[in-house]
Amino acid sequence: MQISDLAERAKTASRVLSTATRDRKDAALRAMADALLAAGDDVLAANASDVEAARAAGTGEALVDRLTLTPDRLAEMAQGLRDLALLPDPVGETIHGWNLPNGVHVDQVRVPFGVIGMIYEARPNVTADAAGICLKSGNASLLRGSSSCLRTNRVVVEALRQGLESSGLPADCINLVEGGHEVTDELMRARGLVDLLIPRGGAGLIRAVVEGATVPVIETGTGNCHLFVDASADRAMAMSIMLNAKTQRPSVCNALETLLVHRAIAAEFLPAALDALTAAGVTVHGDEASRAIDDRIVPATEHEYEAEYLSLDLACAVVDDIDAALTHIRRYSTGHSETIVTADAANQRRFTAEVDAAVVLVNASSRFTDGGQFGFGAEIGISTQKLHARGPMGLTEMTTTKYLLSGDGQTRA
Amino acid sequence: MQISDLAERAKTASRVLSTATRDRKDAALRAMADALLAAGDDVLAANASDVEAARAAGTGEALVDRLTLTPDRLAEMAQGLRDLALLPDPVGETIHGWNLPNGVHVDQVRVPFGVIGMIYEARPNVTADAAGICLKSGNASLLRGSSSCLRTNRVVVEALRQGLESSGLPADCINLVEGGHEVTDELMRARGLVDLLIPRGGAGLIRAVVEGATVPVIETGTGNCHLFVDASADRAMAMSIMLNAKTQRPSVCNALETLLVHRAIAAEFLPAALDALTAAGVTVHGDEASRAIDDRIVPATEHEYEAEYLSLDLACAVVDDIDAALTHIRRYSTGHSETIVTADAANQRRFTAEVDAAVVLVNASSRFTDGGQFGFGAEIGISTQKLHARGPMGLTEMTTTKYLLSGDGQTRA
């Protein structure tokens, strides 16, 4: 099917969904969970085919693992849908309301976008997750997953659509987008039909969408996250935050990638840090100054300060002061999460004011940059752009607003 | 100068501006107003050259009028800058703040975007207005006005930069972008250097920016605004709102373009409406049903339901009921401002819920879709997109947000 036809259907369905009550949407989410579990054997069989094909194509084990569904993972997908039903409905919230001097009343209220396109990689859990978050926020979805997950996604989406229909909402609220690269291009340029596009995946995928789209995009970017250990830092606190941010889950965007240590404490802090990091299996890549202090540090190239490792590797540099730390961060940050450990109030104030990032942390681990940790209950991604949403995006960020004006005949003088 | 060099300078200046106090920004705005008035003779002389060149090039009188500065208009530009100094600073507002269960405190605070590019037509007042609004909201500006206004803009921007410098803020907070179309293209693709692009002008200009930009854009769109006169409408109220919305200032985006009249009252309402509209110099272009009622109505083509007139012309159609009105609006609306006049609570509720537009009005004139009327004090444009800002955009919409997390050593379990 052409994207334009699919998007028209989704748009028509979205009109019904946009005014659906919370009760109805929550019933649909529970019915979707039921239908997904009922189709469990078919989902797992389709997934086994996808996994087999991926292995045959020589796909790496990390990607195969993300693609693979198990009964437990399927149950988590269904539970995710049920959990969404427990969250408040963002639609209908009055954000501001006031009277104009002439008595016209103005309300700014939250409303759904309409149709949201998701472009993502070979992770079948994203299919259910994105469909559910879009539905709860009153939006129809166009789901463009990876072709290597297509067999799984077909069965998952069919089950979700059955659940929707059984609850009385149009099946076309959830749509799988199939086809080649030209279909992705069409989706990215479907202005007027698709209200918002969210790419979710690696840096290459996100860049391609941002460069190619004429539909409004929210960029869920990469996290080249820094930790600056100030001279005044509590050493034990800095060590604990560093280890947590680097090693608790190294493959995610809020993991630590670069450690900046104030020169005044580098000779004391780095050897202790290296003891702990080495014990945790972390390889540290550092500049000359850091290597002069601890020879377990291997040489860092410029590239290592620029890129996300997403692994048990850590870039490291010794900096003269907070100005040098701010300059380094300004140069290499992807604007995701930046952390200072300090006991100095002035440095805390400067760091939070001057660092230009979605999340700036003082004396806490960057692993808290997360919709679940923030208490959002659901997260569609973490925005590193400045337009519309910045940082973890929950249901609220999946809505737009509308001004409602009501009067009794007022005209403009 | 290359855009990349200009944008780098603006970015450097924006770092100083982003943490400038309100006192300092307000002093700068007043100094900019003083400098603009001090350069008044030079501005008017440069403008006279631009106007002469535009006339020689055969530019229409409406465009020449927008291009022309007079001492009064110059005084208004300066006063606009002074008025901005009286408005609250949007930067630093805490939107939400809460504690995570582990004691980490989260604040979501308003911060400037950084560097904002404006692409606009031959209106020199926009130069001062946009520069001032960007400055007050803590953003450096790259001002890309029309080449036909270049002589004027050069003198205006030079004066504004002098004002900035005299107040102790970097002159590079305000920058004029000169050069050919390739410079506009470069500006639209300066990702990482320009944080936001706002096109302001006609439909063609806005479409070109939306299609060509990879920098995030806020679309300030056209207004094909409808008025639906329901069967239950107070006739006098409907008449008064119709006349005001159509004739009070026909050239603007919130002016009425299409009148939809419920069939049950069309035979009564239309002749009276035609009396009033004809007396006000309005030509009404209608469908067969309306022309059968009043032969002063000339035939409407499909195009006339699609386009903005921005003149003393009005499209008109008779509709069977609210469903037909909603269908017509869904088909032709540009999502700007849509109005119902009704006494029926159920129809009011349906209209406000189902119409997908930035502003939906009940029993009030669409001319109220305006930042000044909303009480914003300043307006950079009216957004018809759904991302980030929708409807009139004031200072608040010129900011993004940042999450600040502070703890005492918390790590993630």
Side-chain angles (χ1 to χ4, degrees):
Chain A
M1 194 184 296
Q2 295 272 309
I3 287 292
S4 56
D5 294 339
L6 197 68
E8 284 284 5
R9 286 191 187 193
K11 184 67 105 179
T12 302
S14 79
R15 286 192 199 107
V16 177
L17 181 57
S18 72
T19 57
T21 61
R22 173 175 173 183
D23 280 346
R24 174 150 293 209
K25 291 188 287 188
D26 291 348
L29 288 162
R30 289 187 291 264
M32 286 158 60
D34 291 344
L36 187 62
L37 292 178
D41 290 345
D42 292 346
V43 172
L44 293 173
N47 185 252
S49 301
D50 278 336
V51 167
E52 192 184 351
R55 283 231 167 79
T59 307
E61 273 310 302
L63 291 180
V64 169
D65 179 59
R66 288 175 159 210
L67 172 62
T68 304
L69 285 181
T70 61
D72 278 356
R73 287 182 178 181
L74 193 67
E76 277 169 27
M77 286 162 67
Q79 189 57 45
L81 294 169
R82 286 188 213 286
D83 290 347
L84 280 169
L86 302 175
L87 294 175
D89 189 343
V91 174
E93 182 197 351
T94 301
I95 301 167
H96 296 116
W98 71 97
N99 289 332
L100 303 188
N102 62 13
V104 169
H105 184 73
V106 181
D107 277 325
Q108 185 184 30
V109 297
R110 282 202 190 286
V111 294
F113 274 99
V115 177
I116 297 182
M118 297 283 309
I119 300 182
Y120 55 101
E121 294 179 339
R123 297 179 63 180
N125 63 313
V126 174
T127 304
D129 199 36
I133 288 175
C134 287
L135 188 94
K136 177 79 186 200
S137 54
N139 296 291
S141 50
L142 295 175
L143 304 168
R144 172 63 175 176
S146 163
S147 56
S148 59
C149 192
L150 183 58
R151 296 175 187 89
T152 314
N153 282 341
R154 277 185 183 149
V155 184
V156 168
V157 167
E158 191 47 42
L160 298 178
R161 287 170 58 97
Q162 278 171 20
L164 271 180
E165 274 197 318
S166 73
S167 73
L169 283 175
D172 288 339
C173 291
I174 298 176
N175 307 278
L176 187 65
V177 177
E178 299 195 21
H181 281 296
E182 74 289 353
V183 171
T184 309
D185 290 344
E186 209 186 328
L187 178 62
M188 294 196 299
R189 304 186 71 86
R191 281 187 71 78
L193 291 170
V194 178
D195 296 291
L196 173 63
L197 207 55
I198 304 178
R200 223 171 112 164
L205 176 122
I206 290 163
R207 192 167 46 243
V209 172
V210 165
E211 293 280 333
T214 57
V215 168
V217 171
I218 297 181
E219 187 177 347
T220 58
T222 52
N224 188 16
C225 304
H226 298 78
L227 165 62
F228 170 50
V229 180
D230 191 20
S232 64
D234 178 297
R235 312 299 196 260
M237 187 195 291
M239 199 72 73
S240 154
I241 286 172
M242 173 192 74
L243 281 172
N244 184 256
K246 180 69 256 180
T247 66
Q248 200 247 352
R249 200 170 168 206
S251 64
V252 292
C253 60
N254 60 17
L256 176 63
E257 303 291 5
T258 299
L259 171 70
L260 302 173
V261 182
H262 195 292
R263 188 172 299 279
I265 61 158
E268 171 200 348
F269 185 79
L270 276 175
L274 263 288
D275 289 348
L277 288 165
T278 307
V282 177
T283 305
V284 180
H285 310 250
D287 61 354
E288 285 301 320
S290 63
R291 297 183 64 225
I293 293 167
D294 195 307
D295 62 12
R296 289 171 291 182
I297 300 176
V298 303
T301 63
E302 176 76 5
H303 176 71
E304 281 162 295
Y305 292 115
E306 285 170 352
E308 278 182 297
Y309 287 112
L310 302 172
S311 62
L312 285 173
D313 292 86
L314 179 65
C316 168
V318 174
V319 292
D320 286 343
D321 51 22
I322 188 168
D323 288 292
L326 289 168
T327 301
H328 183 104
I329 290 170
R330 190 179 302 138
R331 179 161 174 194
Y332 296 108
S333 172
T334 54
H336 192 292
S337 299
E338 304 297 354
T339 308
I340 185 173
V341 176
T342 185
D344 183 302
N347 285 352
Q348 158 166 359
R349 188 174 154 96
R350 279 200 61 195
F351 195 85
T352 53
E354 295 182 32
V355 170
D356 187 21
V359 183
V360 182
L361 302 104
V362 179
N363 299 339
S365 167
S366 58
R367 293 280 294 120
F368 291 120
T369 297
D370 176 274
Q373 295 290 316
F374 273 30
F376 291 172
E379 182 194 273
I380 197 77
I382 294 174
S383 165
T384 53
Q385 76 175 30
K386 296 181 182 176
L387 204 66
H388 185 75
R390 199 176 188 201
M393 292 187 288
L395 292 171
T396 302
E397 285 71 27
M398 300 295 277
T399 61
T400 179
T401 59
K402 175 154 97 172
Y403 282 110
L404 301 182
L405 272 62
S406 66
D408 46 15
Q410 284 85 347
T411 56
R412 187 158 163 189
Chain B
M1 195 183 298
Q2 295 272 312
I3 287 293
S4 55
D5 295 338
L6 198 67
E8 284 285 5
R9 284 190 188 195
K11 184 67 106 180
T12 302
S14 80
R15 285 191 200 109
V16 177
L17 180 57
S18 71
T19 57
T21 61
R22 172 174 173 184
D23 280 346
R24 174 149 292 206
K25 291 189 286 187
D26 291 348
L29 288 163
R30 288 188 291 264
M32 286 157 60
D34 292 344
L36 187 62
L37 291 178
D41 290 345
D42 292 345
V43 172
L44 293 173
N47 186 252
S49 302
D50 279 336
V51 167
E52 191 184 352
R55 282 232 168 78
T59 307
E61 273 310 303
L63 291 179
V64 169
D65 179 59
R66 289 175 159 209
L67 172 62
T68 305
L69 285 182
T70 61
D72 278 357
R73 287 181 177 181
L74 194 67
E76 277 169 27
M77 286 163 66
Q79 189 56 45
L81 295 168
R82 285 187 211 288
D83 290 348
L84 279 169
L86 302 174
L87 294 175
D89 189 342
V91 173
E93 182 197 352
T94 301
I95 301 167
H96 295 114
W98 71 97
N99 289 331
L100 303 188
N102 61 14
V104 169
H105 184 73
V106 181
D107 277 325
Q108 185 184 29
V109 298
R110 283 202 189 286
V111 294
F113 275 98
V115 177
I116 296 182
M118 296 284 309
I119 300 181
Y120 55 102
E121 294 180 336
R123 296 179 62 180
N125 62 313
V126 174
T127 304
D129 200 35
I133 289 175
C134 287
L135 189 94
K136 178 79 186 200
S137 54
N139 297 290
S141 51
L142 295 175
L143 304 168
R144 172 65 176 174
S146 163
S147 57
S148 59
C149 192
L150 183 59
R151 295 175 188 90
T152 313
N153 283 341
R154 278 185 182 149
V155 184
V156 168
V157 167
E158 192 46 43
L160 299 178
R161 287 169 60 97
Q162 279 171 19
L164 271 179
E165 274 197 317
S166 74
S167 72
L169 282 174
D172 288 339
C173 292
I174 299 176
N175 306 279
L176 186 65
V177 176
E178 299 195 22
H181 281 296
E182 73 288 353
V183 171
T184 310
D185 290 345
E186 208 186 330
L187 178 61
M188 295 196 298
R189 304 185 69 86
R191 282 187 70 78
L193 290 170
V194 178
D195 296 290
L196 173 64
L197 207 56
I198 303 179
R200 223 172 113 163
L205 176 119
I206 290 163
R207 191 166 47 245
V209 173
V210 165
E211 293 280 333
T214 57
V215 168
V217 170
I218 296 182
E219 187 177 348
T220 58
T222 52
N224 188 17
C225 305
H226 299 78
L227 165 63
F228 171 49
V229 180
D230 191 18
S232 64
D234 178 297
R235 314 297 197 259
M237 188 195 291
M239 197 72 74
S240 153
I241 287 173
M242 174 191 75
L243 281 173
N244 184 255
K246 179 70 254 181
T247 66
Q248 201 246 352
R249 200 170 168 205
S251 65
V252 292
C253 60
N254 60 16
L256 176 64
E257 302 291 5
T258 299
L259 172 70
L260 303 172
V261 182
H262 195 293
R263 187 172 300 279
I265 61 159
E268 171 199 346
F269 185 78
L270 276 176
L274 263 289
D275 290 348
L277 288 165
T278 306
V282 177
T283 303
V284 180
H285 308 250
D287 60 355
E288 284 303 319
S290 64
R291 297 185 62 228
I293 292 167
D294 195 306
D295 62 11
R296 289 171 290 182
I297 300 176
V298 303
T301 62
E302 176 74 6
H303 175 73
E304 280 162 296
Y305 292 115
E306 285 169 351
E308 279 182 296
Y309 287 112
L310 302 173
S311 61
L312 284 173
D313 293 86
L314 179 65
C316 169
V318 174
V319 292
D320 287 342
D321 51 22
I322 187 168
D323 288 291
L326 289 168
T327 302
H328 183 105
I329 290 170
R330 190 178 302 139
R331 180 161 173 191
Y332 296 108
S333 172
T334 54
H336 192 292
S337 299
E338 305 296 354
T339 308
I340 185 173
V341 176
T342 186
D344 182 302
N347 284 353
Q348 159 165 358
R349 189 172 154 96
R350 280 200 60 195
F351 195 86
T352 53
E354 295 182 32
V355 170
D356 186 20
V359 183
V360 183
L361 303 104
V362 179
N363 299 339
S365 168
S366 58
R367 293 279 295 120
F368 291 119
T369 298
D370 177 274
Q373 294 291 315
F374 274 30
F376 291 172
E379 182 194 273
I380 195 78
I382 295 174
S383 165
T384 53
Q385 76 176 30
K386 296 181 182 176
L387 205 67
H388 185 76
R390 198 178 189 200
M393 292 187 288
L395 292 171
T396 302
E397 286 71 26
M398 301 295 277
T399 61
T400 179
T401 59
K402 175 153 98 173
Y403 282 110
L404 302 181
L405 271 63
S406 67
D408 46 14
Q410 284 85 346
T411 55
R412 188 157 161 190

